[in-house]
Amino acid sequence: MSAEPLSEGGPAGPGPTSAGPSQGLAPGRRGARDGGRAGNRGTVRRLTPVRAVPPPPTTPIVAPGRHAAPDDAPVATNPAPMPVPRQGPTPAPAAIAAPEPTNAPAPRAPEPPEAHAARRVRQTWTEVEPRVDELADWFAALLFSLAPEVRALFPARITEPARRLLRSLVLPMSTVDRPGELRAMLEPLVREHRALGLCAEQYEVLGVALIGAMRRFAGTWDETSEHAWVRAFSLAAGPMEQAVRAAAAAPAVAEGTVVGHRRLSWDLAVVHVAPDAPVPHRAGQYLTVEIPQRPRMWRPLSPATAPRPDGLLEFHVRAVEGGWVSRAMVAHTAPGDRWRLGPPAGRLGLDPRSTREVLMVAGGTGGAPVLALCEDMARWVRPRPCTVFLGGRVPEDLTVLDRLEALAAEHPWLAVAAVCEDDPLSEHTLPGTLPAAVVRSGDWSGHDVLLAGSPTMIRATASALLVDGVGLDRITYDPFTE
Ligand SMILES: Cc1cc2nc3c(=O)[nH]c(=O)nc-3n(C[C@H](O)[C@H](O)[C@H](O)COP(=O)(O)OP(=O)(O)OC[C@H]3O[C@@H](n4cnc5c(N)ncnc54)[C@H](O)[C@@H]3O)c2cc1C
C-alpha cells in the first residue's frame, strides 16, 4: 500500500548536480563500477526516520444504521453502527467542544470532521494491526453471517483474502481528508472488488462487518471512535459505490489461455497468456490474476511486456515460500489453462509532463514491469535518459537482464546495471544489496524514480534514496498488501 508517503519529509540534502545515467555507468551492458559517487556526496545529511510503508488503513463501508448484525453474529454489544448521516456534519469531539477558561491560550481551530475521522481511523488501525489476522477472521465471520452469499466469493481458507479486503476498505477510510489521493486510490481498489465479485449493494454490509470487528478488537474503542469510523466509512463508501455502479457495464474480468509455461528454476517460471480480447493495460501496470488451481485467490502480477498488437501477456512468477498461488503458478500451470484477468491497475509509470532523467530499481520479478516500461519508452520519439538497476540474490534471478541489455545496446538513452548479493566475484554484476549499490553509484536527487519488487526491497530502497536526498514526490511504486 504505497500511495502513502514513505516519511514525513525526507532530508532535502544539498543535492549535488544530477549525475545522469552516464555517471558511473557506460551505455549498453554496463555496471556502475566507480564504487564512489560523483559530485559532492560527502556532505553529512540529517537522517530522518523513515516509515517506508504507511500503516494500512481500515475503512468500514457501511451505510449507517441500515444493517444490524444478527443475534448470533460474533459481536459483543451494539452491533448496529452509530447513526451518523452520510454527508452531514460530524459531531465535534468532546475535547474540542469543551469551554475554554478565559485565560487559556487562544483556542485552536477545530479539526475538520474528515481530518478527525481519518486520524482516528489511522490511530485505531495501528492498535489493531498486530492482530490483523484475528480481526480478518472475525470480520469475515460477521460478513458471512450478515450476507451468506458473499461466502461463495472466498476460498476455503478465508484469513488471507479477508485481510486483503479489510485493508482495501481501511485504506480509503484513512485518506478521506485528502480527496485527491482518495480519488486516485479508489479506482484500482474498486476494480479489485469487482474482480472478487462484490457489487455496490454489498458495501453497506461490508461496513457493518468492519465496524463490528473493530468494536471487538480495538483496545480503546469508544463513542468517538465509533463516530469517526462511521463517518470515514460513509465518506469513502459513497464514491466506491458510485464507481462500482459506473463500471458495472464493463466486464469485471477478462479471460485468457496459457500458451506457454517455461520453468527457469525450481522457483521461477515465465508464463505466456493469450487473452480472449486484448487487455487495455499500460506498461508498468499490474493485473490481478486468478488461476484454475487456486480459485478465488486473486494475486497481482505485472506483465513483462509493453502492450503488444497481438495482446499476448508475459508474466514472470517467483514461488514464494509457503505461497498458495505462486507455487501453483510455477509448478502446476500448463498450456491450455484458462486464467482470469482482473482489470489493469497501478501507479508505476512515467509522468509524460516530466523531462527529468529516470532511475528504475527492480528486485527479482520486479524486473518485469521495468522491462515493459523500457520497451515502451523505446517507442517514444524522445525517450528520457534512464538508468536501470536490476537486483537479485544470484544471477539466475535476473530473468529480464538479457532483454534489458539488448535494449540498452540498441538505445543509448538506456543504461543497465545488474546487482547480485550472493555473487560478489562476478565481473558482470555489482556486489552488495540493491539499495547500497544504487546509492553508491550516482546522485539520483534530480531523477524520477520508479521502484518494483518485494515489499522489503521497496522499503529498503525508498528509505536509502530518501536519506540520500531524493524527494518523496519523485519516488513511485505500487501499493502492496501482504
Ligand atoms: C503490484 C504487484 C505486482 C506484483 N507482480 C508480481 C510479478 O510480476 N511476479 C510475481 O511473482 N509476483 C508478483 N507480485 C506478488 C504476487 O502478487 C504474490 O503476492 C506472490 O506471488 C505471493 O502470493 P502467494 O499466494 O504465493 O503467497 P501467499 O500465500 O499470499 O503468502 C505466503 C507467504 O509469502 C509472503 N509473501 C507474499 N507475497 C510475497 C512477496 N511478493 N515476496 C515475499 N514474500 C511474500 C506472505 O507474507 C506469506 O508469509 C506482485 C505483487 C504486487 C502487489
Side-chain angles (χ1 to χ4, degrees), residues 1 160 163-164 268-269 284-287 294 297-304 314-330 345-346 365-366 368-369 453-456 478-482:
M1 318 193 155
E160 180 268 329
R163 190 178 61 217
R164 284 175 194 241
L268 269 175
Q285 282 190 307
Y286 64 87
L287 311 175
R294 295 285 181 270
M297 299 180 85
W298 292 84
R299 293 291 183 272
L301 288 185
S302 309
E314 176 178 315
F315 297 107
H316 291 223
V317 187
R318 170 183 293 284
V320 306
E321 206 179 322
W324 276 88
V325 179
S326 57
R327 279 194 310 167
M329 283 173 171
V330 170
T365 52
S454 72
T456 313
D478 266 322
F480 57 83
T481 51
E482 279 183 345

Side-chain angles (χ1 to χ4, degrees), residues 16-37:
T17 318
S18 173
S22 57
Q23 188 166 40
L25 295 174
R29 172 155 193 154
R30 296 170 260 203
R33 300 186 199 287
D34 59 358
R37 308 171 189 185

Side-chain angles (χ1 to χ4, degrees), residues 369-386:
V370 160
L371 174 62
L373 284 161
C374 290
E375 277 189 354
D376 190 50
M377 207 158 39
R379 300 170 186 164
W380 293 13
V381 180
R382 271 188 293 279
R384 286 153 59 184
C386 175

Side-chain angles (χ1 to χ4, degrees), residues 10 27 107 136 189 206 229 246 260 274 281 331 422:
L189 291 178
L206 286 170
W229 274 73
H281 72 290
D422 293 351

Side-chain angles (χ1 to χ4, degrees), residues 55-81:
T58 54
T59 192
I61 303 176
V62 167
R66 284 200 273 158
H67 271 292
D71 291 340
D72 59 348
V75 175
T77 54
N78 187 24

